[in-house]
């Protein structure tokens, strides 16, 4: 019975996706009537410059913010295992808050904080700038990356800390007993053990950023990310092009997931 | 303590400070500061042309009743959605961790997680398609059931919720069930416990950390949900998130929007705080997200 139930859940999870994929090959103009097989909509999407620009923005934002988040979050997680007292409490509290505060509130709060800061900064810049056209701070890549990094970093801290908690500490002691200096111990013992956590954190960060609509919606300014583009297209009316874009995005994610798995396997074999 | 040990300790302290500096700065600039700004705005006044004007009033908070429907919908559907995810996800996690063939286990788990990797928007849009007028209702008409409407109802929103967040619930439960020492189950069986008793007294309590993490994750995301009610609830079933978008981007009432946002954060903190306290009180160690 458990088996049948699980099969049903898999059906529930995949039927809608299958539907999107099937209809992306619809040659007709109507999104909900299958009129024949064709890949016209993929060509349409591939030549859609707005979509391509949004895709490029999404990749830049996701890559930058996930790298930043992974590096800073891993650093923090490693330090936090040795920190006690108020600093630890404050940091843990902030990590909780960063995760718990809904994305929509983060988006709004970042928006109004940045707009307020930029307004003030631009006034100052304009008054001290010697030339004619002073540089203006505005929303864009920077603000999306910064806001995405916040959430992703908290995620990395939590994942890597969980990994540290489950780590075999006796190995570190053994390494120290064998006269490895702390740096060597870190590189040869700690880091390989933390690696699955770090990679998982990175992948989650990338996915989160690539997929996030609501934070970017507020802080993107004039920049479009792919989810923002897709959302506004759906609003304008459903076309099979959305199905084609969706299928392509799913394929992209799948490739990333498989690559990550392969890398993880290879990495853990080398570690031994 | 010897001087050498003290020196080592100080060196360690400097290292830690260095390692924590970037994330600390990020938290300060992009979390603490924005939250302070929103707190300040929430007691301010709306400028005549929209936006914010300095002031000190609690009117915005007293006025929250004006958006009561959004709060009611969120507080009703977010816990309901979390509960359905738990009930629907647990058997699958159990199947994967305990019953599934170890050879195919990883593959089956990846299959659960993959949808979570695909665009949230596209997945929700798929249900717009299925539940919309030309989808299921159309099929039902063909077999003679007419006048059924799914889209723009709480039901559609719940379907969207379960569909979107089920993987997030299954994964942590799977992890905690997989870590479970299978010898405990054998021991329980050897001691004559029925399978149900073993499940209730060993499996269920030991998977509590996973369930709690899963519920926290799903609930947290649901409280701030915007896309699912927007796409599957139409204008009819809206959450606090939808009210916030309206207040900030359409009506440009930043102070009132800030007050609603603060109220949302407050409700979440209280709920999660109570939850953590309850789990600690029942003796669950390490059940937090950390």
């Amino acid at each position: 019975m458990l088996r049948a139930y699980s099969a049903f859940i898999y059906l529930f999870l995949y039927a809608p996706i299958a539907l999107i994929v099937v209809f992306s090959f619809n040659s007709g103009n109507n999104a909900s009537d299958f009129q024949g097989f064709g890949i016209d909509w993929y060509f349409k999407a591939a030549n859609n410059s707005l979509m391509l620009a949004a895709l490029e923005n999404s990749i830049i934002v996701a890559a930058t913010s996930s790298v930043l988040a992974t590096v800073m979050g891993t650093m923090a997680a490693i330090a936090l295992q040795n920190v006690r007292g108020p600093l630890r409490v404050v940091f843990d509290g902030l990590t909780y808050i960063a995760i718990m505060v809904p994305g929509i509130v983060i988006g709004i709060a970042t928006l109004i904080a940045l707009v307020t800061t930029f307004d003030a900064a631009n006034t100052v810049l304009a008054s001290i700038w010697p030339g004619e056209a002073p540089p203006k701070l505005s929303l864009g890549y920077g603000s999306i990356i910064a806001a995405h990094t916040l959430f992703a970093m908290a995620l990395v801290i939590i994942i890597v800390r969980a990994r540290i908690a489950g780590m075999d500490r006796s190995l570190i002691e053994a390494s120290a007993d064998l006269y490895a200096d702390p740096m060597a111990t870190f590189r040869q013992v700690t880091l390989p053990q933390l690696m699955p956590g770090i990679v998982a954190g990175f992948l989650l960060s990338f996915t989160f950023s690539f997929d996030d609509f609501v934070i970017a919606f507020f802080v993107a300014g004039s920049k479009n990310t792919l989810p923002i583009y897709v959302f506004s297209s759906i609003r304008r009316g459903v076309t099979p092009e959305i199905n084609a874009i969706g299928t392509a995005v799913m394929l992209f994610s799948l490739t990333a997931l498989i690559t990550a798995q392969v890398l993880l396997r290879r990495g853990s074999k080398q570690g031994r | 303590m010897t001087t050498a040990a003290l020196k080592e300790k100080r060196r360690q302290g400097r290292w830690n400070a260095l390692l924590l500096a970037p994330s600390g700065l990020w938290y300060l600039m992009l979390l603490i500061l924005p939250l302070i700004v929103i707190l300040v705005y929430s007691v301010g006044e709306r400028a005549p042309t929209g936006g914010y004007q300095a002031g000190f009033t609690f009117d915005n908070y007293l006025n929250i009743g004006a958006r009561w429907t959004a709060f009611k919908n969120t507080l009703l559907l977010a816990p309901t959605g979390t509960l359905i995810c738990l009930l629907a996800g647990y058997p699958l996690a159990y199947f994967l961790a305990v019953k599934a063939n170890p050879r195919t286990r990883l593959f089956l788990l990846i299959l659960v997680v993959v949808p979570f990797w695909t665009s949230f928007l596209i997945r929700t849009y798929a249900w717009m398609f299925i539940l919309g007028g030309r989808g299921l209702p159309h099929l039902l008409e063909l077999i003679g059931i007419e006048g059924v409407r799914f889209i723009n109802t709480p039901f559609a929103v719940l379907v969207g919720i379960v569909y979107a967040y089920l993987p997030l619930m299954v994964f942590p439960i799977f992890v905690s069930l997989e870590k479970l020492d299978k010898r405990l189950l054998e021991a329980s069986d050897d001691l004559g416990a029925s399978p149900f008793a073993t499940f209730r007294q060993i499996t269920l309590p030991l998977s509590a950390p996973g369930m709690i993490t899963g519920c926290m994750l799903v609930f947290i995301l649901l409280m701030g949900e915007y896309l699912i009610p927007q796409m599957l609830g139409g204008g009819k079933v809206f959450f606090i998130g939808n009210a916030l978008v309206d207040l900030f981007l359409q009506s440009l009432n930043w102070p009132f929007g800030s007050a609603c946002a603060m109220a949302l954060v407050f409700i979440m903190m209280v709920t999660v705080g109570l939850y953590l306290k309850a789990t600690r009180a029942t003796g669950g160690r390490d059940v937090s997200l950390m």
Side-chain angles (χ1 to χ4, degrees):
Chain A
M1 206 178 78
L2 203 55
R3 191 169 289 270
Y5 173 78
S6 301
F8 168 74
I9 293 287
Y10 280 105
L11 187 71
F12 171 68
L13 286 175
Y14 281 91
I17 293 176
L19 200 73
I20 294 287
V21 175
V22 167
F23 273 87
S24 76
F25 292 109
N26 186 359
S27 63
N29 277 317
N30 196 317
S32 49
D33 251 343
F34 200 88
Q35 286 159 333
F37 180 87
I39 51 169
D40 323 16
W41 292 106
Y42 285 90
F43 283 110
K44 266 242 161 75
N47 289 315
N48 180 340
S49 58
L50 279 176
M51 194 282 288
L52 291 177
L55 175 66
E56 191 190 332
N57 290 340
S58 273
I59 291 175
I60 291 172
V61 167
T64 318
S65 65
S66 53
V67 168
L68 279 174
T70 309
V71 172
M72 297 196 303
T74 307
M75 281 164 67
I78 289 168
L80 283 171
Q81 64 171 329
N82 300 316
V83 174
R84 300 276 175 281
L87 185 62
R88 162 90 167 263
V89 175
V90 168
F91 239 89
D92 283 354
L94 287 172
T95 307
Y96 266 111
I97 291 172
I99 292 283
M100 274 188 313
V101 172
I104 198 154
V105 175
I106 293 280
I108 287 168
T110 313
L111 170 74
I112 59 180
L114 285 177
V115 165
T116 312
T117 319
F118 287 173
D119 278 353
N122 284 336
T123 318
V124 174
L125 270 175
S127 65
I128 59 167
W129 193 253
E132 279 298 300
K136 273 186 93 162
L137 296 174
S138 62
L139 300 168
Y141 282 141
S143 48
I144 318 175
I145 291 170
H148 279 180
T149 303
L150 174 78
F151 180 84
M153 186 177 80
L155 211 61
V156 172
I157 291 180
I158 285 172
I159 293 168
V160 176
R161 283 197 64 190
R163 189 80 200 175
I164 290 174
M167 203 167 72
D168 192 353
R169 295 224 103 182
S170 57
L171 285 175
I172 293 175
E173 283 156 25
S175 170
D177 288 348
L178 294 169
Y179 300 108
D181 64 78
M183 203 54 215
T185 304
F186 174 75
R187 214 159 35 82
Q188 291 168 6
V189 181
T190 314
L191 203 56
Q193 282 199 72
L194 296 187
M195 220 43 191
I198 296 173
V199 173
F202 172 79
L203 291 175
L204 274 180
S205 301
F206 191 95
T207 322
F208 156 75
S209 173
F210 193 71
D211 206 31
D212 168 73
F213 167 76
V214 94
I215 296 177
F217 187 48
F218 281 101
V219 300
S222 59
K223 285 265 183 298
N224 255 353
T225 61
L226 192 60
I228 297 179
Y229 174 78
V230 171
F231 181 76
S232 48
S233 319
I234 292 173
R235 261 189 165 172
R236 275 199 305 272
V238 169
T239 71
E241 194 182 342
I242 302 287
N243 296 332
I245 295 172
T247 306
V249 168
M250 287 190 267
L251 201 66
F252 174 75
S253 312
L254 197 65
T255 316
L257 190 65
I258 292 169
T259 316
Q261 280 287 334
V262 171
L263 284 177
L264 253 174
R265 289 273 165 82
R266 208 178 279 165
S268 67
K269 264 178 203 148
Q270 269 172 5
R272 249 163 242 157
Chain B
M1 204 183 278
T2 63
T3 24
L6 206 65
K7 225 177 187 173
E8 170 62 28
K9 205 166 175 223
R10 231 178 258 149
R11 207 182 60 89
Q12 176 90 50
R14 270 203 301 275
W15 254 117
N16 287 338
L18 209 64
L19 288 172
L20 287 175
S23 40
L25 189 73
W26 223 268
Y27 278 153
L28 179 70
M29 299 303 290
L30 284 142
L31 184 64
I32 301 174
L33 210 68
L35 286 178
I36 290 175
V37 170
I38 218 168
L39 187 67
V40 170
Y41 274 36
S42 74
V43 293
E45 282 162 19
R46 181 181 190 270
T49 52
Y52 163 79
Q53 177 173 305
F56 189 78
T57 166
F58 288 108
D59 288 356
N60 297 316
Y61 284 97
L62 296 174
N63 203 15
I64 279 176
R67 298 280 169 164
W68 172 237
T69 324
F71 278 86
K72 192 192 70 187
N73 285 339
T74 312
L75 290 175
L76 218 63
L77 293 176
T80 312
T82 309
L83 191 67
I84 299 175
C85 280
L86 177 64
L87 293 176
Y90 196 99
L92 181 62
Y94 185 83
F95 170 77
L96 288 174
V98 182
K99 301 281 178 195
N101 183 344
R103 292 174 140 205
T104 51
R105 177 176 298 154
L106 184 67
F107 176 70
L108 287 175
L109 182 70
I110 290 174
L111 274 188
V112 177
V113 184
V114 162
F116 195 72
W117 275 75
T118 64
S119 169
F120 188 92
L121 254 172
I122 299 288
R123 278 183 297 149
T124 310
Y125 156 77
W127 283 99
M128 263 175 100
F129 206 60
I130 297 171
L131 299 176
R134 312 194 57 169
L136 268 184
H138 185 64
L139 290 180
L140 287 176
E141 260 170 42
L142 293 181
I143 58 166
I145 305 169
E146 289 193 19
V148 190
R149 222 174 51 105
F150 294 114
I151 198 85
N152 302 350
T153 64
F155 172 77
V157 173
L158 278 175
V159 169
I161 285 172
V162 174
Y163 186 65
Y165 292 117
L166 194 64
L168 208 58
M169 180 68 83
V170 172
F171 197 71
I173 299 177
F174 170 84
V175 170
S176 67
L177 279 173
E178 206 205 14
K179 269 195 293 199
L180 188 149
D181 191 342
K182 304 288 183 298
R183 284 173 301 184
L184 286 174
L185 304 179
E186 287 162 24
S188 172
D189 188 45
D190 289 348
L191 291 170
S194 68
F196 181 70
T198 303
F199 176 75
R200 203 169 51 82
Q201 291 170 6
I202 296 177
T203 314
L204 206 56
L206 285 176
S207 58
M211 289 197 275
I212 287 166
T213 306
C215 286
M216 291 256 285
L217 287 172
V218 174
F219 182 74
I220 285 166
L221 288 169
L222 281 182
M223 285 298 284
E225 190 54 59
Y226 167 75
L227 275 178
I228 296 175
Q230 182 70 27
M231 293 170 77
L232 298 174
K236 299 205 170 59
V237 189
F238 48 89
F239 277 26
I240 301 172
N242 307 74
L244 287 176
V245 169
D246 174 55
L247 285 170
F248 276 91
L249 302 183
Q250 260 92 51
S251 357
L252 295 181
N253 195 341
W254 291 14
F256 183 44
S258 299
C260 288
M262 287 313 293
L264 171 61
V265 171
F266 180 74
I267 294 170
M268 282 186 56
M269 294 288 167
V270 170
T271 322
V272 174
L274 283 177
Y275 210 40
L276 283 178
K277 209 168 176 185
T279 51
R280 293 224 172 101
T282 51
R285 283 178 306 114
D286 298 328
V287 288
S288 66
L289 276 173
M290 297 284 174

